[in-house]
Amino acid sequence: ALGVTLDKLERYEEALKAKKTAVELEPDNAAYHASLGVAFYQIDQYEEAAEEIKKGVELEPDRADYHSCLGLVLSETGRWDEALREMQRALELEPNYARNYHRLGIVLSKMRRYEEALRETKKAVELKPDFAEYHDTLGMILYMLGRCEEALKEVEQALEMEPENKQYLASKESILSAM
């Protein structure tokens, strides 16, 4: 619980220490390993992140969110085939979970497979249209495809939901500068 609280305060180094302690106290707790993996991810230590999330997957192989999180982390290290396998497993386990499609869209976008990324991210938006982050991601993929008017519309939807979000404001600025 302390690690999660520190995450929310963006005190990632402290969160990492708290989560390491939790894993030491309960080494068979999949959620603690996955959470520690996310802590490593937040400070750009991707190999360590993948290792911990893999432990979570091994302990609870039917948790779709662990598979999609692992896929996202693996994509940071350029391990595309493994990342896509994890994403596919997440979708097999939970085919109606928007976050799985969103994460797959991000991975495909990093691979510069923008049309596929667009398709998957649209599914995330369809499943959860009231989630601002999905609209921003969709907007940025449309931007990468040169579809700036559509991109702007999506990012503006995100900003309607979260008007002060710095990431969405930066997305809007990038799109407007390209128009």
Side-chain angles (χ1 to χ4, degrees), residues 131-137 152-165 168:
F131 200 69
E133 183 180 359
Y134 299 168
H135 286 280
D136 181 68
T137 301
L152 185 59
K153 181 179 169 186
E154 290 298 330
V155 171
E156 286 178 340
Q157 276 191 270
L159 282 165
E160 283 177 28
M161 292 179 241
E162 295 181 32
E164 303 300 317
N165 187 299
Y168 308 160

Side-chain angles (χ1 to χ4, degrees), residues 21 26 34 42 63 71 73 77 123 151 173:
T21 301
E26 290 189 49
Q42 289 169 323
R63 288 285 304 264
V73 170
T77 64
K123 288 178 189 173
E173 188 176 314

Side-chain angles (χ1 to χ4, degrees), residues 30-42:
Y32 289 173
H33 283 285
S35 185
L36 178 56
V38 170
F40 278 121
Y41 178 81
Q42 289 169 323

